[in-house]
Amino acid sequence: MKLMDLLSKLDYKCIQGNVDREIGKVVYDSRKIEKGCLFICIPGANFDGHDFAAQAVQDGAAALVVSREVPQILAGDVTVIRVEDTRYALAFISAAYFGYPAERLRVIGVTGTKGKTTTTYMVKSILENAGYKVGLVGTIGAIIGREHIQTGNTTPESYVLQEYFAQMVEAGMDAVVMEVSSQGLKLHRTQGFTFDLGIFTNLEPDHICPNEHASFEEYMHCKGLLFKQCRVGIVNGDDSHVDAVLEGHTCQVERYGIGGSNDLRAEDVRLVKKQGELGVAFSVEGLMDFEVEVPTPGRFSVYNALTAIAICRHFNVREDDIKRALLAVRVKGRIEMVKVSEHFTLLIDYAHNAMALESLLTTLREYEPHRLVCLFGCGGNRSRQRRFEMGEISGRLADLTIITSDNPRFEEPQAIIDDIKTGMEKTGGAYVEISDRKEAIRYAIANGQEGDIIVLAGKGHEDYQEIKGVKYPMDERVLIKEILEEQRNS
């Protein structure tokens, strides 16, 4: 394809060569350079593609896209394109390279601190129940038909995202629902197309660190970028930051929430408690009017369901299809209930920081368990403050905490456990420590009491444990199955 066609939607300056030349491939990884390719010099956390520009020319690259001077390459038979931001350019070039596939899909983007994964799976379930073919991109991976692809980031690099879109079009998908992270927006991974629907779930302080966002204000600003890149914005009208997130928006806006003046409302919210299952029921009012039940607990389940309903309304999905799909949807590692006993409830959840754990345990408390038992560990080579905070929260909200190992990475598991105990000891909460996660789960199941709610927190959808740079297979569902079989055979 011609270089000029790849650049057609960009502002650029050709500082060497000409744009009327054929390009065989678009490359942004210096290890994949090949003869006749266009190499886009992307600055990263550890490497800068500009430093590999000369090597790219030697390896046969036909053209380069740069955002700063690279004088060492000016002698080669190579076209050099100068742009303001090469990541931004990558997004538009990738869209052109794959033939603008997003234009043949209805694209739904979900941003927010919490609820993105659950909402995307709910939307996929509802729309498929109504007969649509729906792709998905997010934390747990990409789903294209029956193919499940592991992704490294919640929102993949723009080239990869456009490649997924193209595969979805090829597979006959009607729509795609995707998680849109603040980093994805900040790094222009979602540029090159317009979202049909942009969704805001909620905002709380998170991802504030040198490698992500310098401040909460920057984090909030990045979330708000979605609403300058979508046709319709559907937002949580109850969130205290919603107006700041919408500042400067260019889209039509709809609001949802619990009661109030929201366009779509949940009224008469009721807790549902069945044998081995926790849920919530409510009335939908405003833009739609019907009763709904969701087999996951708490107010955040109400918000997740409302978000999904607000989205699917734009696809003219019937109320019965919505109700049926919400009752059936299950999201791996997100308040995922695993049946192990008639006497108590066990669930797996990805809550891996203080904010998420507090929200989860507070929600489960509302169901008045005999005991609330929380099993968790913390990741190694991460903030020690997180460990203190999570220990203190579990000590305060759980009746029993089982402290175990998560992904110790390059730290000693016992050192992490000791940090968690430091937080626990501020509360006087009861705890036991069992470093081996399988043995900790075995203890939780063996000692479950009538009416208990037991939550395995932190791992969620993950199916590995990272130790000394190696990821070993470890899926809590598999561990539970093994434990139950061992109990039956003992």
Side-chain angles (χ1 to χ4, degrees):
M1 135 172 241
K2 292 286 188 181
L3 177 58
M4 66 176 72
D5 295 327
L6 292 173
L7 300 172
S8 63
K9 294 192 178 182
L10 282 172
D11 291 327
Y12 66 90
K13 182 177 181 181
C14 182
I15 60 176
Q16 178 173 311
N18 68 81
V19 297
D20 187 22
R21 65 187 305 170
E22 201 68 29
I23 296 297
K25 190 174 181 180
V26 172
V27 176
Y28 61 96
D29 183 335
S30 61
R31 296 166 296 184
K32 298 179 180 179
I33 293 167
E34 58 184 56
K35 187 173 179 60
C37 76
L38 168 64
F39 178 54
I40 304 174
C41 300
I42 302 296
N46 300 312
F47 301 100
D48 188 337
H50 293 83
D51 297 333
F52 298 91
Q55 185 62 49
V57 175
Q58 288 182 27
D59 291 343
L64 303 178
V65 176
V66 302
S67 58
R68 62 177 174 82
E69 289 188 17
V70 277
Q72 69 272 25
I73 64 169
L74 295 178
D77 176 25
V78 61
T79 296
V80 182
I81 302 298
R82 180 80 175 260
V83 297
E84 184 175 340
D85 188 315
T86 52
R87 281 193 175 277
Y88 184 83
L90 173 63
F92 282 88
I93 290 169
S94 298
Y97 181 70
F98 287 104
Y100 301 103
E103 293 180 0
R104 285 166 282 170
L105 297 164
R106 293 183 70 178
V107 186
I108 307 158
V110 183
T111 199
T113 305
K114 296 183 297 187
K116 296 188 296 296
T117 301
T118 301
T119 297
T120 56
Y121 274 78
M122 281 182 167
V123 169
K124 187 175 190 296
S125 176
I126 293 170
L127 292 181
E128 288 183 338
N129 198 64
Y132 291 93
K133 295 183 71 176
V134 184
L136 183 145
V137 181
T139 305
I140 300 178
I143 302 176
I144 305 171
R146 295 183 179 180
E147 184 180 8
H148 288 238
I149 306 167
Q150 291 238 323
T151 54
N153 299 304
T154 296
T155 306
E157 189 56 80
S158 57
Y159 179 94
V160 177
L161 184 61
Q162 291 292 339
E163 186 174 30
Y164 289 160
F165 287 170
Q167 291 172 8
M168 289 175 189
V169 169
E170 181 69 22
M173 302 281 109
D174 303 302
V176 54
V177 57
M178 61 177 287
E179 297 181 50
V180 183
S181 68
S182 55
Q183 281 290 295
L185 289 161
K186 178 180 178 180
L187 299 176
H188 306 305
R189 293 174 187 159
T190 62
Q191 284 294 340
F193 65 96
T194 300
F195 290 91
D196 291 277
L197 301 173
I199 319 302
F200 169 66
T201 61
N202 52 64
L203 196 69
E204 297 183 30
D206 198 14
H207 302 288
I208 313 302
C209 63
N211 292 331
E212 295 189 73
H213 298 288
S215 65
F216 180 70
E217 286 70 29
E218 184 199 297
Y219 177 51
M220 183 163 55
H221 167 75
C222 289
K223 292 292 189 187
L225 293 174
L226 178 60
F227 302 99
K228 300 175 184 178
Q229 196 191 334
C230 68
R231 296 183 176 92
V232 177
I234 299 174
V235 300
N236 178 355
D238 296 345
D239 190 275
S240 60
H241 302 290
V242 64
D243 291 332
V245 168
L246 285 174
E247 186 175 352
H249 73 274
T250 58
C251 59
Q252 175 188 333
V253 174
E254 296 176 7
R255 297 175 185 246
Y256 66 89
I258 297 178
S261 59
N262 293 296
D263 302 303
L264 188 75
R265 303 182 296 278
E267 303 279 3
D268 189 25
V269 177
R270 306 165 313 271
L271 302 182
V272 175
K273 189 172 182 179
K274 301 176 183 177
Q275 193 175 69
E277 186 177 292
L278 307 174
V280 66
F282 57 92
S283 303
V284 179
E285 297 186 11
L287 293 173
M288 300 187 82
D289 184 10
F290 61 99
E291 295 291 317
V292 70
E293 182 177 327
V294 184
T296 51
R299 285 173 68 87
F300 51 75
S301 292
V302 177
Y303 281 108
N304 291 340
L306 267 181
T307 311
I309 293 167
I311 293 166
C312 294
R313 190 182 74 84
H314 286 266
F315 288 77
N316 297 315
V317 179
R318 295 184 309 163
E319 293 171 2
D320 286 346
D321 287 326
I322 293 174
K323 292 164 71 170
R324 184 165 51 250
L326 287 176
L327 275 173
V329 69
R330 299 290 186 276
V331 183
K332 186 177 182 181
R334 299 310 196 272
I335 326 179
E336 178 187 355
M337 296 184 205
V338 181
K339 188 66 175 292
V340 298
S341 171
E342 299 290 340
H343 305 293
F344 58 83
T345 301
L346 183 143
L347 57 91
I348 296 171
D349 193 81
Y350 188 50
H352 61 289
N353 58 36
M355 178 178 61
L357 188 64
E358 183 167 28
S359 176
L360 175 64
L361 296 181
T362 300
T363 291
L364 296 177
R365 268 276 168 227
E366 295 177 357
Y367 287 81
E368 300 179 345
H370 171 62
R371 292 186 311 166
L372 180 55
V373 179
C374 180
L375 180 152
F376 79 99
C378 288
N381 303 106
R382 298 292 188 269
S383 168
R384 292 181 69 199
Q385 186 63 33
R386 175 179 290 187
R387 306 169 193 174
F388 303 146
E389 291 171 351
M390 289 182 71
E392 186 172 350
I393 285 166
S394 189
R396 174 165 50 84
L397 294 175
D399 297 295
L400 174 65
T401 299
I402 303 172
I403 308 173
T404 187
S405 186
D406 193 291
N407 292 320
R409 298 186 176 90
F410 290 95
E411 288 193 65
E412 290 301 319
Q414 190 59 50
I416 299 171
I417 287 172
D418 289 343
D419 282 344
I420 295 171
K421 285 160 58 179
T422 297
M424 285 286 311
E425 286 161 2
K426 292 182 180 179
T427 68
Y431 70 89
V432 296
E433 57 177 286
I434 305 173
S435 181
D436 184 281
R437 198 166 184 108
K438 181 176 179 179
E439 293 308 309
I441 295 170
R442 188 193 308 277
Y443 177 89
I445 292 173
N447 291 278
Q449 299 178 12
E450 185 81 34
D452 282 355
I453 297 177
I454 301 171
V455 57
L456 314 184
K459 296 296 290 177
H461 61 278
E462 293 180 352
D463 58 4
Y464 63 87
Q465 187 172 43
E466 187 176 348
I467 303 171
K468 305 294 184 185
V470 179
K471 289 185 176 181
Y472 297 93
M474 192 192 76
D475 187 319
E476 290 185 319
R477 297 147 204 80
V478 174
L479 296 183
I480 292 167
K481 185 178 179 181
E482 290 174 352
I483 289 164
L484 295 177
E485 287 178 355
E486 289 161 8
Q487 284 181 346
R488 284 193 291 268
N489 296 330
S490 63

